Amino acid sequence: KISKEAVVSTQSTGGSDGCVYLYGGTNGMMYLNTMHRLTPGTRPDSWTNASYFREGHVGRYRAESIHYNDKILVFGGGNPAAFGDMSDIPVFCTRTNTWSEIKSPSERAPCGRIAHSCNRVGDKVLVIGGQVTKETWMEVHGVRHFVPNTDATSDIWVFDLPTSTWFELPQTLPLEIFFHSGAVGSDGDLYLFGGSRYCQWKDRNGNPRKITKRINKLFKLQMQLPSLLESAWEVLFEHYGHLDQEDFLEMGVPEFLVRRSFVPTIR
């Protein structure tokens, strides 16, 4: 067991030492800043937590993390009071069981967010989408109020691990999504699936309101130049995607391309 609290909305990652690490989370009342470790193969399998508190920092949930050498880097996450600053990256050393921070020298960094995706591709970390805080005006009984508002984003940021610098890609997601999943495929490209988006509407007073809608779309971010075959197939499908599989086969398209699912590329 991790603890007596029913911890949910945590983030887990594998370490270079073969262990599984679990950071943060909430039980609905408390927001934790602890790091737990599971050592596979022990009998019984057990979680350990030996004072892995980030002193002076509030807890967070819906964070994402990656491992790099003997370090675990935590990106984003937050609690109802604030989202974690992405200019300062919390770092946990699995060798010494100690915390430190990476302060990025970049002038621009992604805004704090939760429920985003975070994937390491080589020495780059891609942070995509998520929930962010935007300030908006709302009218209540004829008086306009300036209030923070949780919204979604479609931006794509890259963190360079050797230099600790951020840069934003010109591409964006077709939708502003959060709670989606990301994974690197065997082809080296990054795939994003599912999540939720906000749908906007206005109440009787004309104030903007929103509801959450789940999606089941799959997107691909190319991390390397595709082969000529893949490029030709993508262009052909974009123009003639309304055709049946048998039509493509009659055109001479290889069956292994026709029979698989087509994933739109993020541009």
Side-chain angles (χ1 to χ4, degrees):
K1 294 182 179 180
I2 298 177
S3 65
K4 294 182 180 179
E5 295 88 358
V7 180
V8 297
S9 297
T10 54
Q11 168 60 28
S12 63
T13 187
S16 56
D17 54 2
C19 296
V20 177
Y21 291 84
L22 195 69
Y23 172 71
T26 180
N27 61 4
M29 298 292 291
M30 298 184 300
Y31 294 85
L32 309 179
N33 61 356
T34 55
M35 181 71 79
H36 294 83
R37 175 193 285 119
L38 172 66
T39 305
T42 57
R43 292 292 182 268
D45 290 342
S46 59
W47 291 92
T48 57
N49 173 25
S51 300
Y52 302 157
F53 288 86
R54 295 185 59 230
E55 298 294 340
H57 293 267
V58 297
R60 61 178 74 182
Y61 77 137
R62 298 178 184 173
E64 294 289 335
S65 59
I66 60 97
H67 79 272
Y68 180 59
N69 297 328
D70 59 354
K71 305 291 194 300
I72 293 178
L73 283 66
V74 180
F75 292 86
N79 56 56
F83 293 166
D85 187 357
M86 301 285 264
S87 297
D88 299 329
I89 309 299
V91 179
F92 179 78
C93 180
T94 60
R95 179 174 48 84
T96 61
N97 297 336
T98 56
W99 284 97
S100 62
E101 281 189 335
I102 294 177
K103 294 186 177 296
S104 174
S106 300
E107 294 183 0
R108 294 183 65 241
C111 61
R113 63 193 62 200
I114 63 175
H116 49 289
S117 63
C118 178
N119 297 91
R120 176 185 167 190
V121 182
D123 59 1
K124 302 288 191 296
V125 179
L126 284 91
V127 173
I128 304 177
Q131 288 179 309
V132 298
T133 299
K134 298 180 181 179
E135 295 180 330
T136 58
W137 289 95
M138 178 174 291
E139 184 172 329
V140 180
H141 302 301
V143 180
R144 299 188 72 194
H145 297 269
F146 198 51
V147 296
N149 178 44
T150 300
D151 208 341
T153 183
S154 60
D155 55 0
I156 302 176
W157 286 83
V158 180
F159 183 78
D160 183 72
L161 289 166
T163 63
S164 300
T165 54
W166 286 102
F167 62 92
E168 185 177 9
L169 294 185
Q171 300 95 326
T172 59
L173 292 172
L175 301 173
E176 296 179 333
I177 59 175
F178 53 99
F179 280 132
H180 52 287
S181 295
V184 180
S186 58
D187 56 1
D189 291 333
L190 179 60
Y191 292 82
L192 303 172
F193 175 73
S196 299
R197 61 176 300 195
Y198 288 124
C199 296
Q200 302 288 337
W201 61 284
K202 292 186 177 181
D203 61 18
R204 292 181 300 176
N205 297 322
N207 292 319
R209 304 293 183 182
K210 57 190 175 185
I211 58 174
T212 302
K213 181 180 179 180
R214 292 182 175 88
I215 62 173
N216 62 351
K217 295 182 179 296
L218 179 65
F219 303 107
K220 177 177 69 174
L221 182 64
Q222 289 180 337
M223 303 303 298
Q224 54 193 354
L225 289 176
S227 65
L228 290 177
L229 177 65
E230 292 289 344
S231 297
W233 169 235
E234 184 165 342
V235 172
L236 182 65
F237 193 90
E238 286 181 351
H239 287 83
Y240 300 99
H242 60 281
L243 298 179
D244 295 331
Q245 290 187 350
E246 299 304 320
D247 295 327
F248 284 114
L249 293 174
E250 292 179 3
M251 295 168 59
V253 179
E255 184 174 0
F256 78 92
L257 289 176
V258 175
R259 299 303 185 192
R260 75 184 189 187
S261 299
F262 178 78
V263 183
T265 300
I266 300 171
R267 300 189 185 281

